[in-house]
Amino acid sequence: MTAAIHFEAEAYDVTHGKPMGRHFAGHGFLSAFARYTSDNAPVGYVRNAKLGQDFCNFIKGFQPDSSPNYIVSAKAGALKEVGCLFTPSPVNAAQAWQRELHGARSWSLCGVNHTLSSARAMDGLTELLAAPIQPWDAIICTSTASRAVIEKLFARQEEYLSRRLGATRFVRPQLPVIPLGVDCGAQAQRSSRRGEARSSLAIEPGDFVVLFLGRLSFHAKANPAPMYLALERLTRQHRVVLIECGWTANEPIAQAFAEARAKLCPTIRSIVLDGRVSETRNQAWAAADVFCSLSDNIQETFGLTPIEAMAAGLPVVVTDWDGYRDTVRNGLDGFAVPTIAAPPGVGQGLANRHALEVDNYDAYIGKASTAVAVDIDATTAAFERLASDPDLRRRMGANGAARAREVFDWKVIIKAYEALWRELAVLRNAGETAPSSEAMRGFWPARPDPFELFASFPSTGFSSQHVFTQAPGLSEAEVLDRLGLKIALVSASPEVSSTFLLEVWKQVGSQGATARDILARRPGTAPALMVRCLLWLAKLGLIRIGTHEEPYKDNSSVLLNNASF
């Protein structure tokens, strides 16, 4: 069982100037899906044909023998044939409502969490409980920590809806834990270039090289102070080289890192590399003895780089924080450094300032990170053990590489995704009554028919007894000329054409006919479309409207006399 992949090029692009973790995760997933899916004809779900072709080209770039195809969103009903829509972000309410137009059991929705601390992410998750989400939908949680966050958000919203509206029944999507993946084969090959990489960076034999790889952000990723301070202590007995392979959002942040290095670890040799360049990242992985990431930020939910390090055969020193505790086994693959955070109640003021837009998101997560402490003594002890014992480094590196191949290789992860999609299909196809009745199929409260919602706007409504008559003195060529005007908006409406409207105009005829009779003449055309076409032609002065009892007469003077200015 596979799924249609919601494809937006931005979500899978790692070549732009400021890639985020979700971009690397998205690119890793889609390239792995192209190689390892059980379906030789992967399907993309796209906004337009250009994106559809981009999807096909992406898939064939990794699997030339495949036969990818795509579904455009205007024809979303075709998702019934696939059975599941996967999107590289959490399921959202709009997707559930859009499915309702085709029936709740038409397909499953499946997404994956990334950052959960933004207002947009939290609002999107809590909105699901009032949307037609189903038990055959799923949000893949990349870690047990991220699942706990989502469950807490759901519980808070359920409590609110219960108190506010007396709601007693809630439907949640499935929340399976499936980690992000890594290309273990590619990572393992990088160690073969160790000598070349260390030589190119002028690293001497006996140097203890610690690598941080990822976005350099002290307010949104990992404050470097604990790492700098711990490594500076290490220089009393070891020659330490720190490689920071990453990128900063702007020059002031880069300067802040440089200032901190000069102050907190002045005796360490520091190398800063551009982590946006693939070859540079390869060089950094190959040159390192140990990988370090002391994440302390609520925006992190999984952490891809530690498992990349494990796959590369490097021991890791990480914080015991969020998804890291799912991936790194303390004492086996490396060391997990204890963290401590403020208790509940301390941060409500921070949340309120963010909610009121006094603080932007960066300020919010930055301030929150200041109340998270990393054990610097434990970090120092971890580095000391690894620096002093090359055999320990090799054992931990080998343990991590084996665990990465067994648990985190993309081959394993894609199989887990497809197994989940099969499970969702079983739930969807079960004979149980759907939580939302089929009688409500197509009912989307916030997206009503505009002519129902705004029925109070016009002076009168359409009636099947209205009589439509061709405006006198018009040739077919003049009708087509008028329909060809930009203001006619025919070109903006793919469901009709000038030729189609001309045919409707002909069927109206010079003698006139009621709307009911005209609709009966075209049984193969949707009545709603015919009504639109009749009023469309009238707007352009191509037909006139009267009543069955009183054929059309010019009553504009009466309307003007009765108007109130």
Side-chain angles (χ1 to χ4, degrees):
M1 175 65 188
T2 186
I5 308 302
H6 192 176
F7 182 81
E8 291 284 353
E10 185 275 339
Y12 306 100
D13 182 16
V14 296
T15 62
H16 57 81
K18 297 179 180 179
M20 308 281 280
R22 66 181 179 88
H23 296 113
F24 285 102
H27 183 273
F29 162 78
L30 192 57
S31 58
F33 179 80
R35 287 175 289 166
Y36 304 128
T37 179
S38 59
D39 189 352
N40 189 53
V43 178
Y45 181 72
V46 296
R47 286 184 288 110
N48 53 54
K50 181 185 181 304
L51 279 173
Q53 192 56 54
D54 290 344
F55 171 81
C56 293
N57 292 339
F58 188 105
I59 297 295
K60 290 187 77 67
F62 290 92
Q63 189 60 266
D65 296 333
S66 63
S67 302
N69 205 339
Y70 59 87
I71 297 169
V72 294
S73 54
K75 298 181 179 179
L79 288 170
K80 293 180 181 180
E81 302 301 318
V82 183
C84 185
L85 173 62
F86 173 79
T87 189
S89 59
V91 172
N92 62 63
Q95 291 174 322
W97 286 114
Q98 288 160 5
R99 179 182 57 190
E100 283 295 287
L101 302 177
H102 303 273
R105 292 188 185 273
S106 296
W107 57 83
S108 293
L109 297 170
C110 181
V112 60
N113 84 261
H114 292 295
T115 295
L116 295 171
S117 53
S118 70
R120 181 178 178 181
M122 291 186 283
D123 288 345
L125 286 164
T126 53
E127 287 170 1
L128 288 178
L129 296 181
I133 209 70
Q134 302 293 346
W136 46 86
D137 300 327
I139 298 174
I140 296 172
C141 304
T142 55
S143 65
T144 53
S146 65
R147 181 171 64 182
V149 171
I150 295 174
E151 288 176 334
K152 185 168 293 186
L153 285 170
F154 282 166
R156 287 172 59 88
Q157 184 71 349
E158 288 168 353
E159 180 182 4
Y160 167 75
L161 293 173
S162 178
R163 291 183 177 182
R164 173 73 173 176
L165 303 175
T168 58
R169 183 179 185 183
F170 303 99
V171 178
R172 294 185 181 186
Q174 305 295 314
L175 297 175
V177 176
I178 303 177
L180 298 178
V182 64
D183 187 339
C184 290
Q187 283 294 102
Q189 292 175 4
R190 294 190 168 109
S191 60
S192 63
R193 299 178 54 189
R194 179 177 173 83
E196 175 190 343
R198 290 174 76 97
S199 176
S200 66
L201 294 172
I203 295 172
E204 299 179 4
D207 286 353
F208 178 62
V209 182
V210 175
L211 168 66
F212 172 88
L213 189 145
R215 187 157 52 102
L216 294 168
S217 175
F218 54 85
H219 74 282
K221 188 71 173 178
N223 193 299
M227 180 176 68
Y228 289 169
L229 291 167
L231 290 176
E232 180 65 19
R233 295 179 186 179
L234 204 65
T235 60
R236 300 166 187 168
Q237 299 181 17
H238 304 275
R239 290 200 312 270
V240 179
V241 177
L242 172 62
I243 299 176
E244 291 172 287
C245 182
W247 56 95
T248 58
N250 51 52
E251 184 56 29
I253 292 178
Q255 292 175 356
F257 271 86
E259 178 186 34
R261 287 186 212 102
K263 182 70 174 179
L264 302 179
C265 53
T267 63
I268 290 174
R269 183 186 169 207
S270 176
I271 301 174
V272 180
L273 301 176
D274 188 347
R276 294 167 294 188
V277 180
S278 176
E279 180 56 32
T280 301
R281 293 197 300 272
N282 292 341
Q283 181 186 42
W285 284 121
D289 292 306
V290 170
F291 175 80
C292 178
S293 179
L294 303 181
S295 178
D296 59 1
N297 206 281
I298 59 173
Q299 68 81 36
E300 185 72 86
T301 55
F302 177 73
L304 188 59
T305 50
I307 62 171
E308 290 180 326
M310 292 161 63
L314 294 177
V316 297
V317 176
V318 298
T319 38
D320 185 32
W321 181 259
D322 61 63
Y324 287 7
R325 61 168 55 103
D326 283 358
T327 55
V328 178
R329 298 171 299 180
N330 186 41
L332 292 176
D333 312 309
F335 295 101
V337 175
T339 57
I340 186 169
V346 171
Q348 189 60 57
L350 299 180
N352 292 346
R353 287 178 62 87
H354 183 217
L356 296 172
E357 299 183 350
V358 177
D359 290 339
N360 63 19
Y361 178 62
D362 279 352
Y364 166 60
I365 59 175
K367 289 179 178 180
S369 73
T370 62
V372 178
V374 177
D375 191 328
I376 298 174
D377 291 338
T379 305
T380 304
F383 283 141
E384 176 60 40
R385 287 191 61 185
L386 290 167
S388 302
D389 192 342
D391 287 338
L392 178 62
R393 296 202 298 269
R394 283 190 287 271
R395 289 197 304 274
M396 286 188 163
N399 290 342
R403 176 166 168 78
R405 289 192 300 270
E406 178 183 352
V407 179
F408 303 115
D409 190 272
W410 272 121
K411 295 177 184 177
V412 177
I413 302 303
I414 295 300
K415 288 181 180 179
Y417 273 46
E418 292 191 331
L420 170 64
W421 296 335
R422 287 192 295 271
E423 292 171 8
L424 297 180
V426 170
L427 291 171
R428 189 177 69 254
N429 295 324
E432 300 174 3
T433 303
S436 63
S437 170
E438 282 298 310
M440 298 294 287
R441 177 173 175 172
F443 182 73
W444 187 347
R447 298 294 187 276
D449 178 338
F451 304 114
E452 173 193 348
L453 184 63
F454 301 102
S456 61
F457 280 29
S459 54
T460 188
F462 181 90
S463 167
S464 63
Q465 295 302 308
H466 278 122
V467 175
F468 292 84
T469 310
Q470 287 179 352
L474 290 174
S475 67
E476 291 185 18
E478 289 173 314
V479 172
L480 287 173
D481 283 345
R482 200 172 295 183
L483 291 172
L485 295 172
K486 288 185 178 179
I487 62 170
L489 292 173
V490 176
S491 61
S493 304
E495 69 274 23
V496 298
S497 65
S498 293
T499 303
F500 179 84
L501 287 166
L502 177 64
E503 290 301 314
V504 175
W505 178 82
K506 289 179 181 178
Q507 289 182 334
V508 168
S510 60
Q511 300 303 311
T514 65
R516 175 178 295 173
D517 291 340
I518 296 170
L519 266 62
R521 294 170 188 171
R522 297 188 67 97
T525 303
L529 180 59
M530 281 298 295
V531 171
R532 281 184 58 202
C533 289
L534 290 171
L535 294 173
W536 205 332
L537 292 168
K539 176 190 288 290
L540 296 173
L542 298 173
I543 61 176
R544 292 174 168 178
I545 307 175
T547 65
H548 191 273
E549 297 77 16
E550 180 186 22
Y552 178 86
K553 67 178 182 180
D554 185 358
N555 61 354
S556 59
S557 61
V558 176
L559 293 176
L560 287 174
N561 290 336
N562 291 336
S564 175
F565 295 96

